[in-house]
Amino acid sequence: MAKGPVLITGGAGFIGSHLTDALLAKGHAVRILDDLSTGKRSNLPLDNPAVELIEGDVADAALVARAMTGCSAVAHLAAVASVQASVDDPVRTHQSNFIGTLNVCEAMRQSGVKRVLFASSAAVYGNNGEGQSIDEDTPKAPLTPYASDKLASEFYFDFYRRQHDLEPVVFRFFNIYGPRQDPSSPYSGVISIFSERAQKGLPITVFGDGEQTRDFVYVEDLVDVLVQAIEKPEVEVGAVNVGWNQATTLKQMLQALAAVVGDLPPISYGPARSGDIRHSRADNQRLLQRFSFPPQTPMSVGLARLLGR
Ligand code: NAD
Ligand code: UD1
């Protein structure tokens, strides 16, 4: 692998800061480009001389080009991660979630950096049947601007692969959870919100009947695979699902939470969110073939770590 720092866009966020720690532990230097819209300086070991933070927007092409200079590889994670935010404000989220990707592709082409991993999403598949696990060839049916921006980004990475020899590794993350996932907004990841409210004894609202399912992955398990994608000598074509092929209902997740914290606060059920996916479960054969996926962190352990128990 070429020398030079790994550029992590969105590196001050939840997944990006864990990836930063993992890359530092393997001896890489890291340069982060983040506008700190949901990310935080406090997520980063900024006293480590191998970490550099550039505060700014991936929608700013000149800034992305500057940040790319001298880098060995890129992890493109910067995005508005909330599906619901894209439903409410598609124009704003498109700037980060698509224009940011195009700027990363162009800056790579201009600077000759080849390897990039991209945080796409299970959201590109839209709805699937209950109990059905989806492989990467399942027809794509994005239901929201968020999912459309992720799918369009995938197509652009593929174009730059064919036309300009970029080496994209596209991951479709299912639902990632763990420490540093910010619970402070109603748009935050459901486990971060429910755990914080359970810990503080505040009421919990489930949108819908709580029977919707997600394939939850503890963040450290994901990060292990992301580091492999940066370091692999060769990359294969085609996106890779990251999930455990396990469907957990929100009600089951709440039971697991209750087992960690004891009694839960009152739970109410409100209307389902528009654009919300009902069932989501990864067929992960391709992941298992291409990467060594670590042993699964069980939800009981992941939740206990998240809650500091
Ligand atoms: P996060 O909100 O913690 O991280 C996103 C980071 O990007 C933040 O640090 C934020 O400040 C930064 N950012 C946002 N817009 C930016 C912009 N215009 N310019 C520069 N920085 C910007 O969320 P996360 O859960 O860590 O998500 C990381 C990536 O993984 C995102 O691309 C998200 O879509 C994707 N993803 C996450 C999940 C999940 O379950 N958490 C699942 C699928 C895909
Ligand atoms: C999440 C990620 C998204 C990713 C996708 C991949 C976040 C914020 N979103 O979207 O980036 O691409 O997984 O699968 O990380 N819910 C409640 N009550 C709440 C909050 C949420 O019932 O207070 C419900 C939602 O309606 C939904 C489920 O919990 O049915 C999961 O919601 P959320 O954590 O926002 O995740 P996704 O929409 O799946």
Side-chain angles (χ1 to χ4, degrees):
M1 195 175 146
K3 285 206 177 348
V6 176
L7 176 64
I8 309 182
T9 72
F14 160 50
I15 297 170
S17 63
H18 285 277
L19 178 60
T20 297
D21 292 342
L23 286 171
L24 290 171
K26 295 211 70 187
H28 296 274
V30 169
R31 182 180 295 159
I32 288 154
L33 174 62
D34 199 300
D35 67 357
L36 302 181
S37 50
T38 55
K40 296 190 189 79
R41 283 173 184 278
S42 58
N43 285 341
L44 296 169
L46 288 171
D47 51 347
N48 184 329
V51 182
E52 180 188 356
L53 171 64
I54 300 175
E55 195 177 328
D57 191 342
V58 279
D60 177 343
L63 181 63
V64 176
R66 257 204 329 278
M68 193 67 68
T69 309
C71 287
S72 55
V74 186
H76 179 41
L77 307 180
V80 178
S82 164
V83 176
Q84 196 60 36
S86 82
V87 172
D88 295 346
D89 193 351
V91 175
R92 180 181 72 87
T93 57
H94 182 72
Q95 292 302 311
S96 304
N97 294 5
F98 177 72
I99 300 297
T101 300
L102 191 50
N103 289 339
V104 166
C105 289
E106 263 306 287
M108 291 183 74
R109 180 178 72 82
Q110 286 162 14
S111 63
V113 180
K114 297 292 183 205
R115 179 67 53 88
V116 55
L117 78 80
F118 174 57
S120 186
S121 165
V124 300
Y125 298 114
N127 270 319
N128 353 104
E130 186 169 3
Q132 182 194 350
S133 54
I134 19 183
D135 71 18
E136 289 82 356
D137 298 325
T138 304
K140 313 303 173 288
L143 297 176
T144 54
Y146 172 88
S148 304
D149 283 334
K150 288 292 185 189
L151 190 55
S153 295
E154 289 191 17
F155 285 132
Y156 272 79
F157 276 119
D158 203 47
F159 163 75
Y160 277 81
R161 176 185 66 76
R162 284 180 276 110
Q163 193 70 22
H164 300 296
D165 298 323
L166 252 55
E167 298 174 0
V169 186
V170 171
F171 289 108
R172 296 187 184 131
F173 301 163
F174 282 63
N175 288 58
I176 317 301
Y177 74 98
R180 299 188 200 147
Q181 190 169 27
D182 182 6
S184 64
S185 128
Y187 288 155
S188 303
V190 66
I191 289 189
S192 70
I193 296 176
F194 285 5
S195 336
E196 191 197 40
R197 298 188 77 81
Q199 208 158 25
K200 293 184 173 165
L202 297 168
I204 285 173
T205 305
V206 174
F207 302 128
D209 60 7
E211 296 293 340
Q212 64 265 53
T213 57
R214 293 293 187 273
D215 195 338
F216 291 108
V217 176
Y218 187 65
V219 65
E220 296 289 346
D221 300 347
L222 165 78
V223 159
D224 212 82
V225 172
L226 301 186
V227 172
Q228 293 171 49
I230 297 275
E231 293 183 338
K232 238 174 181 292
E234 307 282 334
V235 301
E236 294 100 334
V237 177
V240 179
N241 287 340
V242 186
W244 286 111
N245 200 351
Q246 282 174 7
T248 303
T249 66
L250 290 196
K251 283 181 174 167
Q252 288 167 334
M253 183 263 278
L254 282 165
Q255 278 166 7
L257 197 53
V260 178
V261 294
D263 288 341
L264 289 180
I267 298 170
S268 62
Y269 291 82
R273 280 175 167 169
S274 80
D276 199 37
I277 285 173
R278 179 80 180 154
H279 295 295
S280 180
R281 175 179 177 182
D283 177 317
N284 59 7
Q285 283 306 309
R286 191 178 280 177
L287 176 72
L288 299 176
Q289 279 157 10
R290 294 187 181 180
F291 297 89
S292 74
F293 204 17
Q296 176 174 9
T297 302
M299 187 174 273
S300 55
V301 174
L303 289 175
R305 285 192 198 147
L306 168 59
L307 290 160
R309 306 281 165 128

